[in-house]
Amino acid sequence: LEPNNRDNYYNIAIIYKKLEQLSVARSYLQKASKASVEPWDMPIFIEAQLYEQAARNCGSFDWIDKCVYKLASDTYLKAARIGGPNTSSAVDRVKALENSVPQQEDYFFRSLKSGDEIKIEGACYDWINKSIYVK
């Protein structure tokens, strides 16, 4: 009834997150961001949590799982750059994920170099439809 109310979209996203319907949750978070007049870090912070939750639920901590954790970390950094109330929490999550993301040797053994794109793929991650980049 209120298509411009960002909080409604956000609250619906949280419900879907709890139901573990991560793709649907993300779509509502994106609607919340678009409905917000000013930059809002909360939907981006929760989106990062969705990626982290997906990696925890789906992964066996192999290469692609590390890449999903990197996507979560990158998304937390995006939330932190907005400078909202979640900045400190986002930075804390990035630090907590440091050992879960691909390391330089992971890239080296796969012959990946700075700037290379890595698509997030796999049965558990098809909904993500994003990529990370080697730094």
Side-chain angles (χ1 to χ4, degrees):
L1 296 173
E2 296 179 58
N4 295 324
N5 186 331
R6 71 183 193 180
D7 295 326
N8 290 345
Y9 292 121
Y10 172 78
N11 289 328
I12 292 169
I14 296 303
I15 291 168
Y16 279 110
K17 178 182 185 285
K18 289 181 180 181
L19 293 171
E20 295 195 13
Q21 294 184 27
L22 306 182
S23 175
V24 178
R26 183 177 65 176
S27 69
Y28 279 100
L29 291 170
Q30 291 167 343
K31 289 178 183 183
S33 287
K34 287 179 185 173
S36 184
V37 176
E38 70 261 352
W40 187 27
D41 67 338
M42 184 59 86
I44 298 165
F45 182 83
I46 300 298
E47 181 180 344
Q49 288 182 337
L50 296 179
Y51 301 140
E52 196 174 348
Q53 183 176 345
R56 249 191 333 273
N57 292 350
C58 301
S60 56
F61 204 65
D62 62 11
W63 166 248
I64 196 66
D65 303 318
K66 287 183 173 187
C67 292
V68 175
Y69 280 118
K70 172 81 166 92
L71 177 62
S73 180
D74 291 349
T75 308
Y76 282 124
L77 284 173
K78 182 179 175 185
R81 281 193 294 272
I82 290 174
N86 294 297
T87 299
S88 176
S89 296
V91 170
D92 289 345
R93 290 309 308 147
V94 170
K95 288 178 186 171
L97 293 174
E98 281 178 351
N99 294 324
S100 299
V101 300
Q103 305 299 314
Q104 289 297 54
E105 59 268 13
D106 293 312
Y107 298 131
F108 175 79
F109 288 120
R110 287 170 179 79
S111 300
L112 296 168
K113 58 188 181 316
S114 182
D116 285 352
E117 178 183 16
I118 303 165
K119 292 184 181 190
I120 305 297
E121 301 175 313
C124 228
Y125 303 124
D126 285 345
W127 65 275
I128 293 178
N129 198 27
K130 290 189 178 256
S131 297
I132 61 167
Y133 296 88
V134 178
K135 289 190 178 184

